[in-house]
Amino acid sequence: MSRRISLTEASRRAPRILSRGDSKLLDEGAPPTLSDLAGALQFALGDGRIWLNDDRMVMMQTASLGHLRHEMIEAMGMDQTRRIFRQVGWNQGIHLADVIAQRFQQQDLTAALAAGPRIHTMEGFVKVTTKRFEFDVARGHYHGEFYWHDSSEAIEHLSHYGVCDCPVCWMLIGVPSGYTTRLLGHPVIFREVECTGMGAERCVIIGRHAEAWGDDVPELAEFGLDTPRSRGKPWKPPVDLPKADEDGAGTIQGRSPAIMRARRLIERVGGYDEPVMLLGEPGTGKELFARRLHEIGRRPSGPFVAVNCAMFDAEDTQSAMKTLDAQIERARGGTLFFNDLLALPRALQGHLALRVQPVEGVRSDYRIVSTCSGQPRAAVQSGAFRADLFYRLSLLPVMLPPLRERRDDLPMLIEHFLARHSRRHGRPLRKIGGPALDLLLRYDYPGNVRELSNMIERGVIFAEPAGDLEISHLFAGLEEMPEFIERLHASGSIMRSTASGHVEGRTMQQIETDAYSRALSAARGNVSAAARDLGMSRAQLDYRLRKLGLTGQRDTGPVAGGTRGDRNGRPPS
């Protein structure tokens, strides 16, 4: 005789369904937990960047945000400020939904929705308690009820204006609207029915699908949801190969100030015939920029002839000259690209100088683009490279930044190369595991964009057929690793040397914990002194200690020099 089970238990045992769900059927500790989400938050110490998965974040005092809010209200009025803040919250919610989709990729949409209040809490704006939510994608139904405690937005509004007669958590209310709409694929609007800014003990939040609110739903226009084409698609893990037009193999990826400046310079000189020299470290994408310059130049339909200057035999000058002349003839009507110009043998430099010498009143029928990866001025000063040729070919120099100076481009580049190499090798598009992504965001890339591309391609090939790309798939163990890391074991474990000289495998968190503990011990418990020794601020170290569970440390010991200081490490007056 079969054993009877409850409907709740049957729902839990049934195959996971994306189309409908109820928070009451979800285990309390279902991932991603608050701890899981905190693991997606990375501080690039000393680099001026905070990452939530692959989104850049900032730390900002709530008082400063409150001051901005106050100034906007005084300048443009309450209604316009409310609309702007709700739109900001909406966009924030969309980005948070993407973090959940990219980092964790649950097949259970209920768990993904449950992660929203947790990640909202983690950001520090408000503490969220879920009372209940339920949804049915097929029917376009959603209903959710939540409590907000200690709303920073309400507190700031109260400090400037006192108790208000309407809800004031404008930015905060936009977040769950954007988050839930992004995941479900149909408009869901959240509203405050009680608000701390109105004198209530806590904020009470209700979320419903748009139709349930009736005809008066101004949020639809504010969020751009008043036309069907602007509505999102239901969330699902990205497992398909990218389409052909998504490969973007020949496009320049990036939006950081450094790369944008280089792109603007390329576009500015595109319409001229004068020589362009691309400067930068190896692997920064100089040939890609050269081809882009050819595409936007005066002769985009002409040939693009690439000449590897390191291929010429310095011993056989006559043969090398003939080869060079042939390449120049082939480039007529197009672009002549000299790759690694400093590698050109000295004898050929003089020959090339004669060939590229401008003739008064005669326009050249090809454009010269060259690259230099080394130190061109040092080569000219030492006599290794002809000064007249260098200054002729460097009339329009464009400096390409190393990847370590354009870290804001890393998420875009990682996604680009993952799609590109997945398609190239016919492998399903997988996601990069959380620890592996964290390490990619912290790595310095001495080989620049080329090294990143190689690492992603290696991961696509090495990854298990149905698995994610992990550290051991991406890193070969030869890389110069970031802070606290000495090298990687073939298994993907992070390795470090012990005091006895033995090498042991440690996680990044274990290594960080050990480093902070040793610094605190050396500083006799003085957090400020330990932070100075680590090259961090007191606030940064405080945060890391709390995150790693190293609580109970106090500034009880003397600072360097034996003089006891105050809690900020300053000596007594």
Side-chain angles (χ1 to χ4, degrees), residues 50 54 62 123 167 206 215-216 248 273 319 397 425 449 489 523 548 571:
I50 304 171
D54 60 0
T62 55
E123 287 190 305
I206 301 295
D215 297 329
D216 186 18
D273 287 331
S319 176
H425 296 288
V449 180
H489 187 267
L548 296 170

Side-chain angles (χ1 to χ4, degrees), residues 285-400:
K286 293 186 286 294
E287 183 170 352
L288 181 62
F289 270 82
R291 291 186 180 276
R292 175 58 180 163
L293 187 58
H294 174 73
E295 292 171 359
I296 64 175
R298 291 181 174 180
R299 307 179 183 89
S301 59
F304 180 91
V305 179
V307 179
N308 182 4
C309 295
M311 74 175 183
F312 293 103
D313 185 355
E315 301 296 329
D316 190 355
T317 304
Q318 293 300 319
S319 176
M321 287 182 178
K322 291 180 180 179
T323 301
L324 182 59
D325 289 341
Q327 300 283 46
I328 292 174
E329 292 302 319
R330 288 179 54 215
R332 294 195 181 280
T335 298
L336 181 61
F337 173 58
F338 289 108
N339 194 11
D340 196 11
L341 185 65
L342 296 184
L344 191 68
R346 192 70 167 79
L348 286 185
Q349 295 174 24
H351 182 69
L352 180 61
L354 291 174
R355 293 298 306 268
V356 301
Q357 183 68 29
V359 178
E360 187 69 28
V362 178
R363 181 185 294 274
S364 174
D365 56 358
Y366 57 85
R367 183 177 200 171
I368 297 178
V369 181
S370 57
T371 72
C372 283
S373 298
Q375 299 294 329
R377 290 194 177 277
V380 170
Q381 292 172 358
S382 67
F385 199 88
R386 291 178 59 112
D388 58 338
L389 180 59
F390 171 74
Y391 290 118
R392 168 62 185 152
L393 298 186
S394 63
L395 176 65
L396 299 174
V398 177
M399 177 64 72
L400 304 188

Side-chain angles (χ1 to χ4, degrees), residues 131-434:
K131 186 177 180 182
R132 185 180 182 180
F133 67 82
E134 60 182 10
F135 66 94
D136 188 327
V137 175
R139 294 193 299 115
H141 168 77
Y142 177 89
H143 183 88
E145 300 178 27
F146 304 84
Y147 296 143
W148 286 355
H149 308 271
D150 300 320
S151 163
S152 59
E153 198 169 5
I155 292 171
E156 291 302 323
H157 191 92
L158 286 169
S159 69
H160 286 282
Y161 297 102
V163 176
C164 189
D165 60 357
C166 61
V168 300
C169 300
W170 306 328
M171 185 170 66
L172 293 180
I173 204 64
V175 174
S177 297
Y179 184 91
T180 309
T181 298
R182 182 72 159 187
L183 294 185
L184 294 182
H186 60 77
V188 175
I189 304 301
F190 282 73
R191 292 176 177 173
E192 284 185 278
V193 296
E194 295 181 29
C195 181
T196 304
M198 300 172 65
E201 180 181 358
R202 62 188 175 187
C203 303
V204 178
I205 314 302
I206 301 295
R208 295 175 179 169
H209 54 281
E211 293 80 1
W213 289 111
D215 297 329
D216 186 18
V217 191
E219 295 94 338
L220 291 177
E222 291 179 14
F223 300 150
L225 297 173
D226 49 351
T227 56
R229 62 183 178 184
S230 64
R231 298 185 180 185
K233 296 180 180 179
W235 168 73
K236 62 179 181 180
V239 295
D240 298 325
L241 288 174
K243 297 179 181 179
D245 58 354
E246 294 175 347
D247 186 80
T251 59
I252 298 172
Q253 303 288 326
R255 58 188 178 190
S256 63
I259 205 67
M260 291 297 291
R261 180 178 183 276
R263 290 170 65 175
R264 283 197 300 270
L265 287 176
I266 289 293
E267 292 166 0
R268 191 169 299 170
V269 304
Y272 297 88
D273 287 331
E274 279 64 30
V276 174
M277 180 174 286
L278 301 171
L279 304 166
E281 298 177 4
T284 49
K286 293 186 286 294
E287 183 170 352
L288 181 62
F289 270 82
R291 291 186 180 276
R292 175 58 180 163
L293 187 58
H294 174 73
E295 292 171 359
I296 64 175
R298 291 181 174 180
R299 307 179 183 89
S301 59
F304 180 91
V305 179
V307 179
N308 182 4
C309 295
M311 74 175 183
F312 293 103
D313 185 355
E315 301 296 329
D316 190 355
T317 304
Q318 293 300 319
S319 176
M321 287 182 178
K322 291 180 180 179
T323 301
L324 182 59
D325 289 341
Q327 300 283 46
I328 292 174
E329 292 302 319
R330 288 179 54 215
R332 294 195 181 280
T335 298
L336 181 61
F337 173 58
F338 289 108
N339 194 11
D340 196 11
L341 185 65
L342 296 184
L344 191 68
R346 192 70 167 79
L348 286 185
Q349 295 174 24
H351 182 69
L352 180 61
L354 291 174
R355 293 298 306 268
V356 301
Q357 183 68 29
V359 178
E360 187 69 28
V362 178
R363 181 185 294 274
S364 174
D365 56 358
Y366 57 85
R367 183 177 200 171
I368 297 178
V369 181
S370 57
T371 72
C372 283
S373 298
Q375 299 294 329
R377 290 194 177 277
V380 170
Q381 292 172 358
S382 67
F385 199 88
R386 291 178 59 112
D388 58 338
L389 180 59
F390 171 74
Y391 290 118
R392 168 62 185 152
L393 298 186
S394 63
L395 176 65
L396 299 174
V398 177
M399 177 64 72
L400 304 188
L403 188 52
R404 62 181 176 276
E405 293 180 5
R406 43 180 296 213
R407 289 188 180 274
D408 289 348
D409 294 335
L410 278 173
M412 181 185 299
L413 287 168
I414 291 170
E415 182 179 353
H416 166 70
F417 287 127
L418 187 59
R420 176 180 173 182
H421 294 309
S422 293
R423 176 173 180 79
R424 178 185 176 189
H425 296 288
R427 301 294 299 273
L429 187 62
R430 305 297 183 191
K431 79 179 184 74
I432 299 177

